[in-house]
Amino acid sequence: MVTGKTVALKKVRFDNLEPESVKFMARKVLILRRLDHPNVVKLEGLVTSRISCSLYLVFRYMEHDLAGLAASPAVKFTEPQVKCYMHQLLSGLEHCQNRGVLHRDIKGSNLLIDDGGVHRIADFGLAMFFDPNRKHPMTSRVFTLWYRA
């Protein structure tokens, strides 16, 4: 279907259709489908390619990520911008956690910003479901090394 919208395609890697790889991809799609908030990337759809036997996740195109903007000498964030981005980040995280989703990889390159200043949390590859009423141990080995506490 032609809509005229610019989108971003993210190729989902399959390691020879290994059961763990398929399970990982299915969890990611289930998580993305559960989330619907202005400050969280929205899964617009799925596209398959018969030629390459690939699956692509379709998202709204976002012009920037926070890490790229912060690294640019031409960009200086104002205090109101920082407050606005923090508010949007916390609002998106609250939505995720209210729906039983832990992102587990919040970092600048996973925080997308469009030209209108709207901030969205992206990349739910390490995300998992959780139930605050069920106490079960979680792994302590999931993190991006640079951001480890």
Side-chain angles (χ1 to χ4, degrees):
M1 171 171 50
V2 177
T3 64
K5 290 195 310 185
T6 302
V7 296
L9 298 178
K10 183 171 184 178
K11 186 176 183 178
V12 177
R13 289 188 4 218
F14 285 108
D15 299 327
N16 300 325
L17 292 178
E18 295 282 334
E20 281 301 310
S21 179
V22 174
K23 182 178 164 184
F24 172 81
M25 182 277 306
R27 182 179 69 204
K28 188 173 183 174
V29 170
L30 285 172
I31 286 171
L32 288 166
R33 291 222 184 261
R34 182 178 282 197
L35 303 173
D36 185 13
H37 188 273
N39 301 120
V40 176
V41 292
K42 177 146 181 64
L43 181 63
E44 302 281 336
L46 301 169
V47 177
T48 58
S49 168
R50 291 184 197 147
I51 296 168
S52 65
C53 296
S54 298
L55 175 69
Y56 296 87
L57 305 178
V58 182
F59 298 100
R60 167 185 282 164
Y61 178 74
M62 300 289 287
E63 289 83 4
H64 312 281
D65 66 63
L66 186 60
L69 288 175
S72 171
V75 176
K76 300 287 184 234
F77 296 115
T78 65
E79 187 175 325
Q81 281 177 307
V82 172
K83 287 179 179 180
C84 181
Y85 291 155
M86 284 303 300
H87 181 268
Q88 291 180 70
L89 171 62
L90 294 173
S91 179
L93 285 174
E94 178 183 42
H95 174 77
C96 293
Q97 292 185 0
N98 286 343
R99 276 143 191 85
V101 174
L102 287 180
H103 186 282
R104 303 195 308 172
D105 196 22
I106 295 294
K107 59 185 178 183
S109 59
N110 290 340
L111 304 176
L112 306 181
I113 302 170
D114 69 16
D115 282 341
V118 176
H119 169 288
R120 288 187 175 86
I121 301 167
D123 196 348
F124 285 79
L126 294 179
M128 65 175 286
F129 293 112
F130 79 99
D131 180 354
N133 300 318
R134 268 189 65 221
K135 303 291 185 221
H136 76 284
M138 294 186 184
T139 180
S140 61
R141 295 183 302 269
V142 177
F143 49 79
T144 299
L145 284 175
W146 297 340
Y147 299 95
R148 180 172 61 178

